[in-house]
Amino acid sequence: SEYILDYGDVLKIQLIGLKNNMDSYKILIDGSINIPDIGNINLSGLSLSQAVSYIQSKVESLYIGTQAYTAIENMRDINVLVSGNAFNPGIYTMSGNSNPLHALVIAGGINDFGSYRDIKVKRNNKIIQTIDVYEYLIFGNAQKHIRLQSGDLIFVEKRNNLVTVDGAVKRPMIYELKTSETLDKAIMFANGIDVDADLDSITLDRIVGGKVT
């Protein structure tokens, strides 16, 4: 219902009541459809739910007691650019109902130098969303993603702080930390410390100038 209509989308509209009819209408480049006896209806920029209500009001103004049932028959294609540290950066053609994660999957995902914590979605040279994939992988929180539009850019930033958490933790692994995050965050990412861990023997090794300190 929140899908935003634009040029190239095809709607199927069925009229039942005083007038009975069913036909398909492609949104034209000016953002409108033309329904016989009703005329031009501008739908570009409206959500599907808004378009359903708008079409119904137009039909009712001409045919009293007539119901209009509107549905998406075909979605438009969009072209988006995936760049930065993705495995296969480039321009991809996708469904108009796609979100940034769909684009990342098509581009092969994040490469070995890319950040899972800092993926930017840009539109008209402005950042409209920043994605942290750890919200899904570690916390199980689903972000509400914007729907992509033609010309959008998905940019995978380079990774920054990599921390190896090993030993008596529940999920030893290499984790990416933001500059504001501290050691306790890394331990939390590792699902915490094992119950049999020796808390008097915790070490932190740091590589500085090629040497371990």
Side-chain angles (χ1 to χ4, degrees):
S1 62
E2 297 177 356
Y3 176 71
I4 303 299
L5 298 172
D6 206 347
Y7 166 60
D9 288 325
V10 179
L11 300 178
K12 177 169 283 187
I13 302 174
Q14 182 178 17
L15 303 182
I16 299 177
L18 184 62
K19 184 176 179 65
N20 293 286
N21 182 50
M22 183 168 65
D23 212 338
S24 298
Y25 301 91
K26 182 177 180 179
I27 298 179
L28 304 177
I29 197 166
D30 66 355
S32 71
I33 61 173
N34 188 288
I35 303 177
D37 299 328
I38 296 175
N40 283 354
I41 301 178
N42 199 319
L43 301 176
S44 179
L46 298 182
S47 68
L48 179 58
S49 61
Q50 289 172 330
V52 168
S53 299
Y54 188 38
I55 292 169
Q56 176 63 38
S57 67
K58 287 287 188 179
V59 170
E60 285 182 342
S61 67
L62 189 64
Y63 301 110
I64 297 174
T66 299
Q67 293 293 313
Y69 297 93
T70 304
I72 288 278
E73 186 172 49
N74 283 309
M75 290 182 179
R76 67 187 182 275
D77 288 335
I78 59 172
N79 292 319
V80 299
L81 173 63
V82 181
S83 65
N85 295 284
F87 268 110
N88 298 299
I91 297 174
Y92 292 92
T93 300
M94 309 175 65
S95 159
N97 199 36
S98 301
N99 67 44
L101 289 188
H102 296 143
L104 278 177
V105 171
I106 292 176
I110 300 167
N111 68 22
D112 294 338
F113 307 101
S115 171
Y116 283 76
R117 312 292 310 279
D118 191 7
I119 300 165
K120 293 182 172 64
V121 184
K122 297 183 178 181
R123 181 174 297 160
N124 299 323
N125 292 322
K126 294 181 180 179
I127 298 173
I128 58 173
Q129 187 171 35
T130 301
I131 299 171
D132 182 351
V133 181
Y134 274 26
E135 288 293 325
Y136 300 92
L137 299 180
I138 294 179
F139 301 111
N141 298 327
Q143 288 180 280
K144 185 175 182 179
H145 291 301
I146 54 100
R147 284 187 172 85
L148 295 173
Q149 297 181 9
S150 275
D152 284 352
L153 167 67
I154 297 93
F155 186 82
V156 182
E157 294 282 359
K158 63 181 178 63
R159 66 190 186 190
N160 288 313
N161 302 320
L162 291 184
V163 176
T164 300
V165 184
D166 206 354
V169 292
K170 297 175 182 176
R171 186 169 54 198
M173 198 177 294
I174 299 174
Y175 295 96
E176 180 183 355
L177 296 186
K178 295 181 180 179
T179 53
S180 60
E181 293 174 338
T182 55
L183 179 61
D184 61 332
K185 198 76 166 184
I187 294 174
M188 184 183 72
F189 289 164
N191 259 356
I193 299 172
D194 283 339
V195 292
D196 57 351
D198 182 1
L199 299 182
D200 294 325
S201 181
I202 299 176
T203 60
L204 172 63
D205 296 330
R206 177 172 295 163
I207 300 175
V208 180
K211 297 181 180 180
V212 177
T213 60

